[in-house]
Structure formats: C-alpha cells, structure tokens
Amino acid sequence: MGSSADCKEHPIKTIIKVSGTGLIDGDGRKVVLKGAGLGGHLNMENFITGFSGHESEHRAAMLSVLGPEKYKFFFDRFLDYFFTSSDAKFFASLGVNCLRVPFNYRHFEDDLNPGIYKEEGFQLLDRIVNLCAEQNLYVILDLHAVPGGQNQDWHSDSGTSKALFWKFKEFQDRMINLWVALAKHYRGNPFIAGYNPLNEPADPEHINLINFYNRVEKAIREVDPDHVLFIDGNTYAMDFSHFPSTPLSNTVYACHDYSMMGFPTGEAYLGTSTQKAKLRKSFERKVAFMREKGVPIWNGEFGPVYASAEDDKDFATTNSQRFELLREQLSIYRETDVSWSIWLYKDIGYQGMVHISPSSPYMQLISSFLVKKKALNLDFWGCSDSKVAHVYDPFLKHLKEMVPEHLRAIKYPSPLWTFERQVERVVRECLLSEYMGLEMAELFRGKSEEELDELAASFKFENCVVRDELNLILKEDARFYVEP
C-alpha cells in the first residue's frame, strides 16, 4: 500500500494528467485525490449557513436590511473568515490532498452586465488556491451555480424549480466564456488539479448537456491544453447513459454517491451483508460508464449528515451507524483507487468536518430561526417533515387527485423525484423559504459593524468545533492507495 499523505514529501511541481484509469504527476507518480468540498463559501447553501431558500434571495434580503455598506462589510468578513490559513493547515494535517471549491457565477459577472468580469471573483479564488498551495494541496474549481440553474435544486441558486440553463444558449455561452477566462488565469498552475465545468447537471433532454460539454472542453483546451477536466454525469452526477461512446481526452468522469442510509429519512445502517451489497451495487451502477471505458473515477460528493441531541435522543447511536456507513463507502472506493471529495468541509453542524460552535454569536442569533426552519422542513438536506406532515399530507392527497395517475411521474427528474418531491420543492423550498428568508434577515437589523464582525468571525477555524471521529476516519483512509 502507498500513502496519499506522501504529498508532503513530494511537493506539487507539475500539472497532473490522466493515465489509464488513474492520475499521475509530471514525474509519473500515481496521484489519488482525496479531500472535501468547500461548500457554503463561494456558493452559499441554506443548510450550510442557516438561511432558507437560495443564496441570491438571502443576499437580497440581507442587503435590504443592512444597506449597501454594512452588507458588503458583513459578507467580505464572512468570506475572509470562512477559510483561512488555519483551515488549510488543519485540512492538510489530515493527510488529504485536494480541496474542491464550489463557486457561484455571480462572483464573476452580473446578469445585468454579462461578460464584464469582476476582478474580485478571481481574487477570491486566488486567495483559496494560494492558501492551499502553501500547504501543498491541490484545488479543483467547481462551477456550482450558473444563470438559470443547471438543475432543479436550491444549490444552483436559480430561485425556481426549473433548470433554465438548458433553455437559453446565451446562458451557456456566458459560462463557456467564463471558463475560458478562468482557464487563461490558471493555465500552468500545478496546484490546480483541474476544472469541474458544471456541478450536478440535470438536463431533461440529455443532449444539451453533451453539447455543452463538447463546447466547453474545446474552448478550455484552446487556452489551457494541460489541465484535467472533471465531468459530472447527468441527473445530479448519476447518469451517464447518454454520454458519447468515446470519452473526452485527459478527462476524469465524476459521480456523486450519497446513500439515503446516511439521512434521517433512510433506513438505519447496521452493516448487514444486504446493506453492504446495496451500497456496492448503487456505486457500481453510477460508475458503470467509467468501468466500461477504462477512464478515471472521481466521486465528487458523498457523505452522511449527523444527528444532534436537539433532534435525536439516540444521536450517539445514529452517528455511530453513519460513521460505519462512511467507513464502508470508503472501503469500496479504496479497492480501485477511486478519488473522492466528501461533502463537506465546514457548516453549522449537519455534515461538516468542522462546524461553528453552538455558543458562537452567529448561532446564538439565528438559533430560534433554525428551530422554526427545521420544524417547517424548509431545507431538503438532512430534515424530515414529521412536524408538518399533518399540513402537507392532506394537501398532497388532494393535489394528486387532481392530476391523472399516468402523469404524476412524468415530470423530470422522475423517478428520482416523486410527485411529492416536486411539490415540496416548489411550495416549501421556493415559495415559503423566500418568505422565511426575509424573517431571518430581520435578525441582522440594526447590527453595528463590530457586531457584524463578531457574527462573521463565528466561522473562523479558531472559533469552530472539529468533528473528531469523522476526521479520524478520513485521516485513516487518506493514508492508503493501491500501489501500481
């Protein structure tokens, strides 16, 4: 066995590239990427930092309450504190070697001024890349939110339940041009492991995604022929059934391998032979294209959420089961040196390797809102509708009666999404969440810059809590890969 922690003994000097089913550096050394996603930072998400709905709505509500100067002050501080040299040092100390950096296109251009790039977007990415470079860490750039939304969910920040990115060539052209600008900026940089052009695309027609990938690959290669591309499958990085038979060159194909056994609505993971077989079968289904074509696999997202004493009286048992689930998943990936990036590095307590303290000023301020948000089941991630089922069940029953049975499962991304999921996405996660987001923003009204700084500083590593057992599991796995 070898060790991915060997990176400290082998400074990153050359751009990695695809070799068969794996990656190698310029010296021919095998590279297995293991790390985490920096979600909630340059692409904010509701369950990660506590608001409801979508980032653009959250920012608009905060701007309305704080005014332009305090708004800029708070979010500048938030972005500074969320990931610092202390975070990079801690991350590297675990032996992992790669940070996936999700970002929202809005950091680079405005919808009312498309194609005119904001320098601060590049500065924000540069800061993270430089901090990682100091610790000998790779970075994967992940375009997580695009105009109109590349999928139907909250994390593409469209504000709707439709993926309008696939309906407008203008949107697609803008993002191809943005990738060209990014590729020009980072070409020749060995700390960039590669580019993840689109997170979790969900194109109902499939062909639009394939055309986009062909166009963006060609455009990037014209200005940067060296960096690897990390290409997500369709339908939330799980479907490669419509992909061309000939893979793109110097490209890693990416799945996302979440298991419902790691979430409140799934069955408890007890480590039975049946459950282990289910995990393996699910993963192998997602990577069948990569196995058949002999190309590298990157599991770009996976990982359970974790229970707390506030919402689960048996939280210790629950978390123990989910840690065992994680160990089993990692063992499956380790068998064939699958590169991986767990979701996620830092949050307010659901899933992060690091989370902000419950006693922090930020959590103290929004704690009552979080209780209400959880009770209303406004977030899809890691919640259940037990406290609002009595409201929605009759409503859903009547809605289903209105729609002919043969049409209830016709709307993409069915069968992944049921009729009930389609309704909750629109009613709870879009409409009601937008109203509740205004309520959360009200909590910041009248805050001084000193108070806003304290709130943002809640996200500093020094003020956070480290999830020890999770990090121990990741550290143990980061030590190993199969020798060639």
Side-chain angles (χ1 to χ4, degrees), residues 121-141:
F122 295 94
Q123 292 171 352
L124 287 167
L125 279 184
D126 283 348
R127 178 177 169 274
I128 298 171
V129 172
N130 292 338
L131 288 172
C132 288
E134 291 172 3
Q135 301 301 321
N136 208 45
L137 296 168
Y138 290 106
V139 171
I140 293 175
L141 303 182

Side-chain angles (χ1 to χ4, degrees), residues 5-115:
D6 285 348
C7 60
K8 292 182 179 179
E9 300 174 15
H10 299 277
I12 295 170
K13 295 180 180 179
T14 57
I15 293 174
I16 61 173
K17 63 180 180 180
V18 168
S19 177
T21 59
L23 294 164
I24 58 173
D25 65 16
D27 297 323
R29 287 183 54 83
K30 184 175 184 176
V31 177
V32 180
L33 300 173
K34 298 185 177 186
L38 189 64
H41 185 223
L42 298 185
N43 191 69
M44 300 180 71
E45 295 190 37
N46 45 44
F47 76 95
I48 299 178
T49 57
F51 62 91
S52 60
H54 305 80
E55 177 181 1
S56 54
E57 296 165 349
H58 170 56
R59 283 178 169 271
M62 293 288 280
L63 177 61
S64 176
V65 166
L66 293 174
E69 291 185 7
K70 287 186 177 180
Y71 167 87
K72 185 177 186 306
F73 177 88
F74 173 74
F75 281 101
D76 283 351
R77 291 295 190 275
F78 167 79
L79 292 172
D80 283 346
Y81 292 142
F82 197 98
F83 191 79
T84 68
S85 60
S86 297
D87 292 284
K89 289 176 183 175
F90 169 73
F91 193 74
S93 75
L94 300 176
V96 291
N97 60 4
C98 185
L99 185 72
R100 180 184 184 226
V101 180
F103 61 93
N104 192 314
Y105 79 97
R106 290 183 172 89
H107 286 291
F108 292 88
E109 66 172 32
D110 295 322
D111 289 324
L112 294 179
N113 202 17

Side-chain angles (χ1 to χ4, degrees), residues 5 26 50 119 261 340 402 411 465 482:
E119 184 59 31
M261 288 184 279
W340 51 257
M402 298 174 191
K411 185 175 169 62
V465 178
V482 180

Side-chain angles (χ1 to χ4, degrees), residues 19-266:
S19 177
T21 59
L23 294 164
I24 58 173
D25 65 16
D27 297 323
R29 287 183 54 83
K30 184 175 184 176
V31 177
V32 180
L33 300 173
K34 298 185 177 186
L38 189 64
H41 185 223
L42 298 185
N43 191 69
M44 300 180 71
E45 295 190 37
N46 45 44
F47 76 95
I48 299 178
T49 57
F51 62 91
S52 60
H54 305 80
E55 177 181 1
S56 54
E57 296 165 349
H58 170 56
R59 283 178 169 271
M62 293 288 280
L63 177 61
S64 176
V65 166
L66 293 174
E69 291 185 7
K70 287 186 177 180
Y71 167 87
K72 185 177 186 306
F73 177 88
F74 173 74
F75 281 101
D76 283 351
R77 291 295 190 275
F78 167 79
L79 292 172
D80 283 346
Y81 292 142
F82 197 98
F83 191 79
T84 68
S85 60
S86 297
D87 292 284
K89 289 176 183 175
F90 169 73
F91 193 74
S93 75
L94 300 176
V96 291
N97 60 4
C98 185
L99 185 72
R100 180 184 184 226
V101 180
F103 61 93
N104 192 314
Y105 79 97
R106 290 183 172 89
H107 286 291
F108 292 88
E109 66 172 32
D110 295 322
D111 289 324
L112 294 179
N113 202 17
I116 307 301
Y117 299 129
K118 298 185 282 188
E119 184 59 31
E120 53 263 37
F122 295 94
Q123 292 171 352
L124 287 167
L125 279 184
D126 283 348
R127 178 177 169 274
I128 298 171
V129 172
N130 292 338
L131 288 172
C132 288
E134 291 172 3
Q135 301 301 321
N136 208 45
L137 296 168
Y138 290 106
V139 171
I140 293 175
L141 303 182
D142 153 36
L143 182 53
H144 219 79
V146 301
Q150 74 275 18
N151 60 48
Q152 298 77 18
D153 255 329
W154 72 93
H155 42 83
S156 64
D157 193 29
S158 68
T160 75
S161 63
K162 295 183 180 296
L164 296 179
F165 182 73
W166 307 114
K167 296 293 185 181
F168 295 92
K169 185 174 181 293
E170 176 197 359
F171 290 167
Q172 297 168 37
D173 290 346
R174 283 167 58 187
M175 293 303 95
I176 289 172
N177 292 337
L178 175 57
W179 271 116
V180 169
L182 288 164
K184 286 181 179 178
H185 188 77
Y186 288 109
R187 61 187 170 194
N189 189 328
F191 295 100
I192 299 296
Y195 310 129
N196 189 189
L198 210 55
N199 173 71
E200 293 192 347
D203 169 25
E205 298 175 8
H206 297 275
I207 190 63
N208 300 303
L209 173 63
I210 304 306
N211 290 338
F212 175 79
Y213 278 156
N214 288 333
R215 292 178 61 211
V216 76
E217 186 261 354
K218 181 180 179 181
I220 289 174
R221 300 286 193 226
E222 287 179 353
V223 297
D224 180 357
D226 299 321
H227 275 114
V228 171
L229 297 187
F230 293 82
I231 297 293
D232 281 22
N234 197 25
T235 315
Y236 299 85
M238 293 188 289
D239 181 7
F240 295 86
S241 61
H242 291 73
F243 274 47
S245 58
T246 302
L248 297 172
S249 63
N250 202 31
T251 296
V252 175
Y253 287 81
C255 73
H256 290 180
D257 191 34
Y258 290 106
S259 168
M260 288 309 297
M261 288 184 279
F263 288 78
T265 54

Side-chain angles (χ1 to χ4, degrees), residues 156-426:
S156 64
D157 193 29
S158 68
T160 75
S161 63
K162 295 183 180 296
L164 296 179
F165 182 73
W166 307 114
K167 296 293 185 181
F168 295 92
K169 185 174 181 293
E170 176 197 359
F171 290 167
Q172 297 168 37
D173 290 346
R174 283 167 58 187
M175 293 303 95
I176 289 172
N177 292 337
L178 175 57
W179 271 116
V180 169
L182 288 164
K184 286 181 179 178
H185 188 77
Y186 288 109
R187 61 187 170 194
N189 189 328
F191 295 100
I192 299 296
Y195 310 129
N196 189 189
L198 210 55
N199 173 71
E200 293 192 347
D203 169 25
E205 298 175 8
H206 297 275
I207 190 63
N208 300 303
L209 173 63
I210 304 306
N211 290 338
F212 175 79
Y213 278 156
N214 288 333
R215 292 178 61 211
V216 76
E217 186 261 354
K218 181 180 179 181
I220 289 174
R221 300 286 193 226
E222 287 179 353
V223 297
D224 180 357
D226 299 321
H227 275 114
V228 171
L229 297 187
F230 293 82
I231 297 293
D232 281 22
N234 197 25
T235 315
Y236 299 85
M238 293 188 289
D239 181 7
F240 295 86
S241 61
H242 291 73
F243 274 47
S245 58
T246 302
L248 297 172
S249 63
N250 202 31
T251 296
V252 175
Y253 287 81
C255 73
H256 290 180
D257 191 34
Y258 290 106
S259 168
M260 288 309 297
M261 288 184 279
F263 288 78
T265 54
E267 64 178 294
Y269 180 74
L270 303 177
T272 66
S273 58
T274 299
Q275 289 177 323
K276 290 181 178 181
K278 182 178 179 181
L279 280 176
R280 185 177 296 274
K281 182 179 180 181
S282 175
F283 176 66
E284 290 299 331
R285 175 184 60 79
K286 294 170 187 174
V287 301
F289 172 84
M290 293 81 112
R291 301 287 198 211
E292 178 186 345
K293 303 302 178 183
V295 295
I297 300 168
W298 180 51
N299 181 11
E301 290 185 22
F302 70 107
V305 300
Y306 300 100
S308 66
E310 290 73 29
D311 54 29
D312 185 345
K313 60 181 173 52
D314 296 321
F315 74 97
T317 299
T318 298
N319 288 342
S320 177
Q321 293 167 344
R322 292 176 185 171
F323 287 135
E324 288 306 311
L325 168 68
L326 176 60
R327 285 190 175 94
E328 182 62 22
Q329 287 183 291
L330 289 172
S331 73
I332 293 171
Y333 311 148
R334 193 164 58 243
E335 290 175 5
T336 52
D337 277 345
V338 171
S339 290
W340 51 257
S341 182
I342 197 169
W343 193 257
L344 70 153
Y345 174 65
K346 183 183 287 186
D347 67 359
I348 60 172
Y350 286 114
Q351 200 171 15
M353 298 161 61
V354 172
H355 61 85
I356 69 175
S357 170
S359 62
S360 67
Y362 185 85
M363 289 297 281
Q364 289 295 302
L365 177 68
I366 71 168
S367 59
S368 60
F369 176 79
L370 291 177
V371 170
K372 181 176 182 179
K373 185 175 75 153
K374 184 174 288 188
L376 294 176
N377 195 28
L378 297 185
D379 297 346
F380 173 75
W381 208 245
C383 296
S384 73
D385 63 357
S386 59
K387 295 185 179 180
V388 289
H390 67 286
V391 175
Y392 287 100
D393 285 353
F395 176 53
L396 285 164
K397 179 178 181 293
H398 290 304
L399 286 180
K400 290 181 79 169
E401 290 171 353
M402 298 174 191
V403 178
E405 185 174 356
H406 72 284
L407 296 178
R408 293 174 194 165
I410 203 170
K411 185 175 169 62
Y412 181 85
S414 175
L416 181 64
W417 283 22
T418 62
F419 180 86
E420 289 81 359
R421 172 74 189 121
Q422 298 279 5
V423 173
E424 73 179 18
R425 173 74 189 115
V426 174

Side-chain angles (χ1 to χ4, degrees), residues 353 466-473:
M353 298 161 61
V466 173
R467 198 181 293 277
D468 290 323
E469 188 164 358
L470 169 59
N471 292 305
L472 182 63
I473 294 170

